[in-house]
Amino acid sequence: MTDIAAPASGLIRPDKDRFLSEDNPFEAMMQRFDHAAQLLNLDPGLYKILRNPEKQIIVSIPVLRDSGQVEVYTGYRVLYNTSRGPAKGGIRFDLNVTLEEVKALAAWMTWKCAVVNIPFGGAKGGVVCDPGTMSMAELERVTRRYTSGIIETLGPDSDVPAPDVNTNERIMAWIMDTYSMHKRHTVTAVVTGKPVEMGGSLGRREATGRGCMFVTREALARIGLPMQQARVAVQGFGNVGSLAADFLAKEGATIVAVSDKSGGLVNPKGLDVADLLAWAQEHRQLAGYPRAERVSNEELLTIDCDVLLPAALENVITSKNARKIKAKVICEGANGPTTAGADKILEEKGVFVIPDILANAGGVTVSYFEWVQDRGGYFWDEDTVNKRLEAIVTRSFREVVGLSERHKVNTRIAAYMLAIDRVATMHRLRGMYA
Ligand code: NAD
């Protein structure tokens, strides 16, 4: 822990009233940040620096629709902090994208990269659009025009996007191509989450779910519950949830409930995850699966289980349902599934929470491996990727738990303390350019 001067308490959150409600994502992040900053005795100057995004870009994206009409979309890219290295963070295409949300997600990425100690800062981007109503050609035009709008910030040494909500490998390939055409040479390391054929990393698709499995295994060992006796409920059966369920089942856990947008399934004796994966692949949803009872998404959260793995949405564990949760361990596969109000209740109940910035950091860790491989021009086999992921994630878990025990704080605040301290240390060592 670095020795940082005591804050003048009056300086903490001078503009708190500017922030809206508890489920405002930036507010949720700032509440945890403030708590950790106070415990760290963060210098007031550093506090001011770390609570403000470094750069916020807003672009208008004129695009020709297939109908011949022009539409203008709004795009954002926020670089929250780049003191530790190039900004890293996904790009989402969604009607609900707001600057406030992009700022919060960019800050989260800063802390997430610092928790696992990879040399990246944090960023996030988004375009306010409904990709469900767009043709492939329109999606490509939006992607390329947005990329050219933010091209000055992009680059392997400055800002490296990745997929997020409603964006995928295909879109990363278009960003890489647009950037490379401007640079007049191929630059694979400008994005991660690319197709493996064009410089993506083996193991990237599975990395977040695999990371969830590693940290759950560590948490179960801490509470003395063997994996073979652990009953797990998973909310969300997409990339993170379905793969986490699969990895945990392969480790010997019993998956008692899963859900997606179409509803939930339960079997206290255990669901056949391979069979569920095949069903979801064929039917694109869990609804209709015949070999389990149905359960609502709300019920799933409070079902009788040992591990709850929210891997779908923000703000699903709140002060309203936290008391009813029976799980001993919560592994936050999703970003921001637990509100700050619920944190306190879970702590009182003695639930072991593996916070999102640690639990789902497997994805950005293998993105880092992808960037390293692209820059080195030398690619690793999948086993090497998975072993290096396991080493980083389990080491980070132990660092967070060690800090939580030493400072007698919950694991989320310990993760923030670890992250903020690492970013603050970099600022202190670098000094201030004036
Ligand atoms: P995804 O789109 O592949 O899957 C989301 C799943 O959630 C789907 O099964 C969907 O049906 C389900 N869902 C949606 N609404 C629901 C509801 N109301 N109740 C229950 N389930 C619902 O997304 P993903 O990549 O798996 O991401 C899930 C979460 O994990 C997000 O919060 C994301 O930000 C976070 N995350 C993802 C990664 C990654 O590498 N994919 C990395 C870090 C964090």
Side-chain angles (χ1 to χ4, degrees):
M1 193 63 34
T2 51
D3 180 22
I4 303 170
S9 57
L11 285 178
I12 295 285
R13 303 299 305 282
D15 58 352
K16 187 166 189 333
D17 292 345
R18 201 155 59 83
F19 297 102
L20 313 166
S21 65
E22 274 216 21
D23 58 5
N24 174 307
F26 195 72
E27 179 61 30
M29 187 280 298
M30 284 308 289
Q31 282 196 21
R32 277 73 173 246
F33 173 84
D34 278 355
H35 189 169
Q38 284 189 334
L39 289 168
L40 282 168
N41 265 339
L42 190 65
D43 170 81
L46 275 178
Y47 175 82
K48 282 191 216 161
I49 292 172
L50 296 187
R51 63 178 302 285
N52 285 293
E54 250 173 52
K55 191 184 280 186
Q56 304 176 58
I57 304 167
I58 305 177
V59 288
S60 289
I61 308 166
V63 169
L64 196 62
R65 299 290 309 244
D66 292 346
S67 64
Q69 288 186 323
V70 172
E71 189 64 75
V72 181
Y73 300 97
T74 302
Y76 305 106
R77 185 74 180 161
V78 173
L79 274 55
Y80 196 83
N81 188 290
T82 59
S83 61
R84 288 171 47 84
K88 187 85 195 82
I91 290 170
R92 56 177 58 181
F93 286 179
D94 199 79
L95 279 177
N96 296 319
V97 166
T98 62
L99 183 58
E100 200 73 357
E101 180 190 60
V102 175
K103 262 162 60 180
L105 293 165
W108 257 323
M109 284 303 297
T110 307
W111 315 133
K112 194 181 294 186
C113 293
V115 161
V116 285
N117 212 2
I118 56 179
F120 283 141
K124 208 78 181 187
V127 177
V128 188
C129 66
D130 181 2
T133 62
M134 290 155 76
S135 69
M136 277 300 252
E138 289 170 337
L139 211 51
E140 178 171 354
R141 290 197 286 275
V142 168
T143 305
R144 289 187 184 276
R145 188 63 194 246
Y146 169 67
T147 306
S148 81
I150 60 167
I151 205 147
E152 282 89 4
T153 164
L154 295 181
D157 290 315
S158 52
D159 183 16
V160 185
D164 197 76
V165 175
N166 296 331
T167 57
N168 55 20
E169 291 189 345
R170 175 72 268 179
I171 288 173
M172 293 309 110
W174 290 328
I175 296 176
M176 180 285 222
D177 180 65
T178 306
Y179 182 83
S180 298
M181 294 311 289
H182 278 255
K183 291 289 154 189
R184 322 303 294 164
H185 63 271
T186 296
V187 188
T188 53
V190 70
V191 285
T192 61
K194 298 180 292 293
V196 171
E197 297 83 348
M198 64 182 290
S201 178
L202 293 170
R204 171 65 187 87
R205 198 177 67 83
E206 300 82 4
T208 309
R210 196 186 294 277
C212 288
M213 180 272 285
F214 289 140
V215 290
T216 301
R217 201 175 61 188
E218 291 288 313
L220 289 173
R222 303 287 309 187
I223 65 165
L225 183 69
M227 181 68 90
Q228 287 68 23
Q229 288 172 26
R231 296 159 308 140
V232 182
V234 181
Q235 185 190 52
F237 207 65
N239 174 276
V240 179
S242 70
L243 291 166
D246 194 33
F247 288 125
L248 285 163
K250 286 181 176 142
E251 288 289 304
T254 304
I255 311 300
V256 292
V258 295
S259 70
D260 69 1
K261 218 187 275 182
S262 70
L265 301 168
V266 60
N267 182 349
K269 294 205 175 73
L271 296 159
D272 180 343
V273 178
D275 196 36
L276 284 170
L277 285 167
W279 176 275
Q281 172 95 18
E282 190 185 337
H283 299 87
R284 309 234 147 256
Q285 60 174 21
L286 292 172
Y289 181 77
R291 289 170 285 284
E293 300 293 316
R294 300 213 29 102
V295 67
S296 73
N297 258 304
E298 190 53 38
E299 286 164 338
L300 178 134
L301 295 168
T302 55
I303 218 161
D304 191 17
C305 65
D306 302 301
V307 178
L308 176 63
L309 205 154
L313 310 164
E314 289 168 14
N315 298 333
V316 290
I317 302 174
T318 65
S319 51
K320 292 201 182 76
N321 62 8
R323 267 179 228 295
K324 291 189 255 164
I325 284 177
K326 299 187 187 69
K328 301 178 185 77
V329 173
I330 295 178
C331 175
E332 295 183 341
N335 285 318
T338 309
T339 64
D343 272 356
K344 201 167 159 9
I345 300 169
L346 296 174
E347 191 176 351
E348 281 162 15
K349 279 167 63 85
V351 179
F352 192 115
V353 177
I354 314 170
D356 48 9
I357 58 173
L358 170 65
N360 67 38
V364 77
T365 302
V366 176
S367 275
Y368 163 56
F369 295 164
E370 179 174 332
W371 177 81
V372 168
Q373 292 171 78
D374 287 340
R375 286 164 71 99
Y378 180 73
F379 290 85
W380 313 345
D381 60 41
E382 197 165 349
D383 199 40
T384 303
V385 171
N386 294 341
K387 284 208 171 89
R388 289 180 178 173
L389 171 65
E390 181 173 10
I392 288 183
V393 169
T394 52
R395 183 201 63 214
S396 307
F397 177 95
R398 289 169 195 172
E399 284 175 339
V400 167
V401 172
L403 207 57
S404 126
E405 286 170 355
R406 265 204 311 286
H407 290 265
K408 301 200 176 6
V409 291
N410 67 42
T411 43
R412 187 185 315 282
I413 296 303
Y416 272 79
M417 287 173 76
L418 184 64
I420 293 167
D421 187 53
R422 282 185 174 146
V423 179
T425 298
M426 187 58 118
H427 276 274
R428 288 168 65 249
L429 291 169
R430 288 177 62 156
M432 187 144 67
Y433 175 76

